[in-house]
Structures are given as C-alpha cells and as structure tokens.
C-alpha cells in the first residue's frame, strides 16, 4: 500500500471513511430513526405540495392578454413553482433534524438528506426553470457540481485544497481557489452586465423625446458604467488590490500619449458627434474625401456608412470633426435636386416653364415648400436650348436614380404631349474634291 501514489492513497482514505460512516448508519438505531424521519418529511412535503401548488398556480396565473408589470411579476414567480416540493422537503427535514438532535444528540443522516433535497432543488432550477443558454451552462458545470460536493460534505475539503494550491505569475501569486472564484464571478457579472445593458438600451431607445444622438450617447455611457462596475467588483472578489492598478493606468496613459493618439482622438470625436448631433444614424452624408452614404452605425472608434450599392465604408470619427461634412438628411429635412433637359430652337420657349412646372408639381413626392418646381433657362447650346428644373423632395435621390429619373420621365411625356421637339446633335460634313465611292 505504501508504494501507491499519494493521490490513490488519499482516495482510498476517503473510501474507507465513507465505508465507516455507512456501517455506522446501517447499525445505529438513531440512524434508522433519521431515515424514517426523512421518508416522513418527503411524504409530508408531497402532500403539502399537492394541496398548495394548484392554489398558488391559480393565484399567480394572469390572463394571456394582461401585459402589466404586476402580471409579468406574477409570471416570473410562477416559473419557480417546481422548486416548492424540494424546498418543502428541505424545511420539514430541518424540523426533523432538530428533533433527532434533541433526542439522540446526533443528526448526521438527516442532515445529509436535507443537503440532498437542496441538491435536487438546484437540479430542478437548472433543468426546468433557467432558459438562458449561458446561465444553463453555468448551472450545469458549476452549480450542480458544487451542490453535489456540498451534499456529500466535501465542499469545505475541496475548497481548502484549492486555497492551498497557488499559481505564480512573476512576482504575483494567486491561489487556485481565487482563480476559480474569479472565473465564476466574472462569468456571472459578464452575463449580468449584458442583461442589464440590453434592458437599459431598450428603455433609453424608447424615449422618443430625446434626440437619436443623445439616446445613443446615454446608451454608451450606461454600458461603460455597467461594465466598469462589474470590473471593480470582480477585482474585489478576486482579492486584487485596486491600488496595484495605478501602475497599469500610468502605462495606459503613456500609451495613449504616444502610440494610441488616433484611437483617443477618434473616441473623443465620437463623443462630440453624439453630443452635438451634427450627424446621427439614418443621415445621408458626404465627406470631403468623397465618401458618401447613409450612417448605419456609430461606435466609439468609427462611423459606418452604407452606400446605395450596399457597400459599407468605415470612416474614423475624427474625419467628421476635422474635415468638411455635407449632411443631406439633417434628421429628415427636404433636399433640392435638378433635372436638365433641352428643347429645339424651333420651340416657343415661353411656354416650356409653365408646362413642365405644372406637370412635375403633380408628383406625390415633390414639395411646394420651401419652393415649388422651378424651370429655368440655362443657355443656348449647340443643338438646342438648355433648361433646368429645380424641385424639392423629402428624401435622398440615390445617385440621380430615384426622384430625378421620375421627374425626367414626366418632362419627356409632357414635351411629347405638346409636340415640343427634344433636339439631338446635327453635324455638317464637307468633302473637298470628288465624293468618295
């Protein structure tokens, strides 16, 4: 036996200890009485559950059409109704434990049964109640193993072993227990941060009285605050002194001063954009460098533009502050466009403006304010007389393919209906000498 590895000897010691406890329970009258109390407590819990659960379900179940906060709270409480049976058994077993300890001075068996009922409650929680995939994964691989160790009375032993084991990273050492605790707490805090951030963003997004840029800035501020608080809580849970992060903060400051200037500049520019609201999601903008598109997303570092052909352009936020930006939308303001056309020199040009303006004004998207359709004479070309129709619409002409195209169709049909010729180039070719064969 002495030649076996230490881990095997330790395992055999636990097996021998479990066998001794089992023999003591099987041969002890006090243990048999505790087994009887466990069975009685479970039967009593089943009877109480059958009497209480239907009434609770009837009280807590709201109408399907009821969407009030109180109704949602009732549905939330109703989800935990399957826990009632193991918790009732746990409570009745606790009463039986007090009785056995008072009569026999021992309650190890019934205490074990009480912990088993608590494990069953945790198992029901993970399998039947929790629906979120991430929380179900944590419950399956963290909560249930911990509750199993607690049920068999090994949790304190395992915790002591993990605390004694250390991992060193340079001059810093951590116990394995601190790392495990940090991973568990970090996972829970990460999920909680994601959940609270999603709900707060939805709430802020519904505040229609706020400008879109202010809503987005508030969502970002809440997001940074939530995850910053989660980070501080995680450091505290892991036992890391926050004053030790001062050196790291200084290093980050030096990095911002030298290598991360552009990142810091884009981040600050993004905050300014959200505060001023000079460009926000949904606006159609054109930058000084020629980039143009609809703003579909704004992040802390860059703004995403979607062009009319479906491509996305990533523009650093700094470009919106340091260069000229043309905003065609400005949260839904009207825009003016032009449609150029020509007529023949044989045309009475005095009739053209009135005919074209009257026809284009009937278009449902063409506005009367700030100005109705205006047909202007632009010049005398080589082949015809040049006109330009100016018109206002509430929207963006996607590359002269939407409103301008529709207006040009109206102009064409109007000129044809009034027998006005649209000219095309004429050329006179002169040959010197004999006509070519």
């Amino acid at each position: 036996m002495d030649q076996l590895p230490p881990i095997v000897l330790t395992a055999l010691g636990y097996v021998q200890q479990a066998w001794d406890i089992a023999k003591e329970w099987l041969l002890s009258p006090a243990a048999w009485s505790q087994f009887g109390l466990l069975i009685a407590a479970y039967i009593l819990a089943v009877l109480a559950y059958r009497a209480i659960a239907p009434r609770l379900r009837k009280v807590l179940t709201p109408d399907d059409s009821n969407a009030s906060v109180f109704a949602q709270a009732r549905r939330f409480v109703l989800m935990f109704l399957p826990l009632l049976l193991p918790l009732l058994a746990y409570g009745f077993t606790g009463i039986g434990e007090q009785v056995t300890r008072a009569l026999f001075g021992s309650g190890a068996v019934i205490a074990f049964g009480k912990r088993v009922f608590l494990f069953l409650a945790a198992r029901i929680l993970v399998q039947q109640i929790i629906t979120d995939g991430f929380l179900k994964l944590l419950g399956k691989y963290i909560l249930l193993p911990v509750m199993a160790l607690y049920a068999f009375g090994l949790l304190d032993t395992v915790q002591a072993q993990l605390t004694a084991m250390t991992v060193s990273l340079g001059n810093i050492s951590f116990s394995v227990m601190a790392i495990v605790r940090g991973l568990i707490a970090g996972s829970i805090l990460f999920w909680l941060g994601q959940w609270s951030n999603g709900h707060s963003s939805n709430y802020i997004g519904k505040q229609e009285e706020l400008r879109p840029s202010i809503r987005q800035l508030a969502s970002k501020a809440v997001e940074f605050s939530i995850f910053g608080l989660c980070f501080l809580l995680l450091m505290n849970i892991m036992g890391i002194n926050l004053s030790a992060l001062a050196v790291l903060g200084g290093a980050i400051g030096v990095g911002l001063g030298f290598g991360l200037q552009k990142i810091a500049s884009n981040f600050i520019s993004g905050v300014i954009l959200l505060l001023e609201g000079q460009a926000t999601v949904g606006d159609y903008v054109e930058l000084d460098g020629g980039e143009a598109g609809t703003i579909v997303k704004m992040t802390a570092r860059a703004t995403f533009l979607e062009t009319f052909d479906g491509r996305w352009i990533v523009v650093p936020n700094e470009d919106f502050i340091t260069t000229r930006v043309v905003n065609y939308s400005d949260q839904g303001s009207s825009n003016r466009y032009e449609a150029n056309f020509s007529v023949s020199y044989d045309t009475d040009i005095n009739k053209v403006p009135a005919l074209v303006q009257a026809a284009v004004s009937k278009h449902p998207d063409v506005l009367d304010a700030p100005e109705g359709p205006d047909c202007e004479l632009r010049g005398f070309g080589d082949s015809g007389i040049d006109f330009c129709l100016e018109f206002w619409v509430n929207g963006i002409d996607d590359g002269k393919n939407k409103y301008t195209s529709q207006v040009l169709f109206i102009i064409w049909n109007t000129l044809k209906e009034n027998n006005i010729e649209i000219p095309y180039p004429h050329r006179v070719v002169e040959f010197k000498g004999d006509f070519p064969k």
Side-chain angles (χ1 to χ4, degrees):
M1 292 289 291
D2 296 337
Q3 296 179 355
L4 295 175
I7 188 171
V8 176
L9 293 175
T10 304
L12 290 175
Y14 284 128
V15 171
Q16 183 63 37
Q17 183 180 358
W19 174 249
D20 294 338
I21 293 174
K23 286 196 301 182
E24 180 183 355
W25 287 1
L26 291 174
L27 300 176
S28 172
W32 283 105
S33 64
Q34 293 177 53
F35 279 121
L37 284 174
L38 275 176
I39 297 173
Y42 180 74
I43 294 174
L44 186 60
V46 171
L47 295 176
Y49 176 78
R50 291 179 178 177
I52 298 174
R55 293 177 174 84
L56 283 177
R57 186 174 285 107
K58 183 177 180 180
V59 171
L60 294 175
T61 303
D63 296 333
D64 295 336
S65 59
N66 193 345
S68 64
V69 176
F70 183 66
Q72 294 177 4
R74 289 163 62 187
R75 292 189 183 97
F76 180 76
V77 175
L78 187 62
M79 291 170 49
F80 295 90
L81 190 59
L83 292 176
L84 183 60
L85 177 58
L87 292 180
L88 285 173
Y90 178 83
F92 292 144
T93 306
I95 298 173
E97 182 184 6
Q98 299 298 324
V99 174
T100 56
R101 289 190 184 277
L103 294 177
F104 303 102
S106 174
V109 176
I110 201 168
F112 171 74
K114 186 173 69 171
R115 295 194 298 268
V116 169
F117 287 136
L118 202 58
F119 170 79
L120 294 177
R123 187 169 178 269
I124 292 174
L125 178 67
V126 173
Q127 293 185 348
Q128 301 183 22
I129 298 176
I130 296 177
T131 57
D132 184 83
F134 183 74
L135 288 182
K136 188 178 284 291
L137 190 68
L138 288 180
K140 184 177 180 180
Y141 292 103
I142 294 178
L143 179 61
L144 291 183
V146 169
M147 295 303 298
L149 291 174
Y150 173 74
F152 287 100
L154 299 176
L155 184 60
D156 293 338
T157 304
V158 173
Q159 186 175 356
Q161 292 290 335
L162 294 177
T163 304
M165 299 170 60
T166 58
V167 176
S168 298
L169 297 174
N171 296 328
I172 304 176
S173 61
F174 299 95
S175 67
V176 176
M177 187 63 201
I179 297 176
V180 172
R181 189 166 57 239
L183 290 175
I184 297 173
S187 301
I188 296 174
L189 288 174
F190 173 78
W191 177 86
L192 186 61
Q194 289 285 90
W195 179 82
S196 58
N197 179 57
H199 281 268
S200 60
S201 298
N202 290 335
Y203 176 76
I204 294 173
K206 295 178 182 178
Q207 309 306 310
E208 299 293 340
E209 65 274 8
L210 299 176
R211 289 191 293 120
S213 58
I214 298 298
R215 294 201 298 267
Q216 193 164 7
L217 179 62
S219 298
K220 291 295 181 183
V222 171
E223 181 179 356
F224 290 145
S225 301
I226 289 174
F227 284 104
L229 180 61
C230 291
F231 175 76
L232 294 177
L233 289 175
L234 181 60
M235 294 297 102
N236 190 25
I237 291 172
M238 293 186 66
I240 298 177
N241 189 1
L242 295 179
S243 61
L245 299 177
V247 178
L248 178 61
I252 293 175
V254 174
L256 289 175
F258 289 97
L260 304 178
Q261 295 183 28
K262 285 293 184 181
I263 295 178
S265 175
N266 287 321
F267 177 79
I268 296 173
S269 299
V271 174
I272 294 174
L273 282 173
L274 293 174
L275 284 174
E276 293 183 350
Q278 67 183 39
T280 187
V281 175
D283 288 353
Y284 183 82
V285 297
E286 181 179 355
L287 303 182
D288 206 16
E291 300 89 351
T294 303
I295 298 177
V296 294
K297 184 180 180 182
M298 298 180 72
T299 64
R301 185 189 66 85
T303 299
F304 294 80
L305 307 182
E306 185 177 8
T307 62
F308 288 120
D309 52 4
R311 293 178 298 173
W312 277 32
I313 304 175
V314 182
V315 182
N317 289 329
E318 185 183 10
D319 292 353
F320 282 85
I321 302 298
T322 59
T323 61
R324 182 179 64 91
V325 179
V326 180
N327 192 336
Y328 289 93
S329 297
D330 192 19
Q331 298 181 3
S333 63
S334 55
N335 297 282
R336 193 192 72 172
Y337 299 101
E338 296 180 351
N340 298 304
F341 65 97
S342 300
V343 297
S344 172
Y345 276 101
D346 297 331
T347 305
D348 183 2
I349 62 174
N350 297 300
K351 299 180 180 179
V352 172
L355 290 173
V356 172
Q357 290 170 186
V360 173
S361 63
K362 297 178 181 178
H363 191 285
D365 295 324
V366 175
L367 304 176
D368 295 329
E371 185 181 1
D374 182 23
C375 186
E376 299 176 350
L377 177 64
R378 289 293 175 90
F380 303 99
D382 295 338
S383 302
I385 303 173
D386 299 328
F387 283 90
C388 177
L389 180 75
E390 298 176 349
F391 61 96
W392 290 78
V393 292
N394 260 333
I396 303 297
D397 199 351
D398 53 350
K400 310 294 183 184
N401 295 324
K402 186 178 181 182
Y403 298 113
T404 302
S405 174
Q406 296 172 4
V407 168
L408 286 174
F409 268 106
I410 295 175
I411 294 173
W412 170 274
N413 294 327
T414 302
L415 296 179
K416 287 297 184 180
E417 290 172 359
N418 291 274
N419 298 319
I420 298 176
E421 181 183 353
I422 298 176
Y424 55 89
H426 292 78
R427 296 290 182 268
V428 177
V429 181
E430 180 180 350
F431 294 96
K432 291 184 178 181
D434 296 335
F435 189 79
K437 296 182 181 180

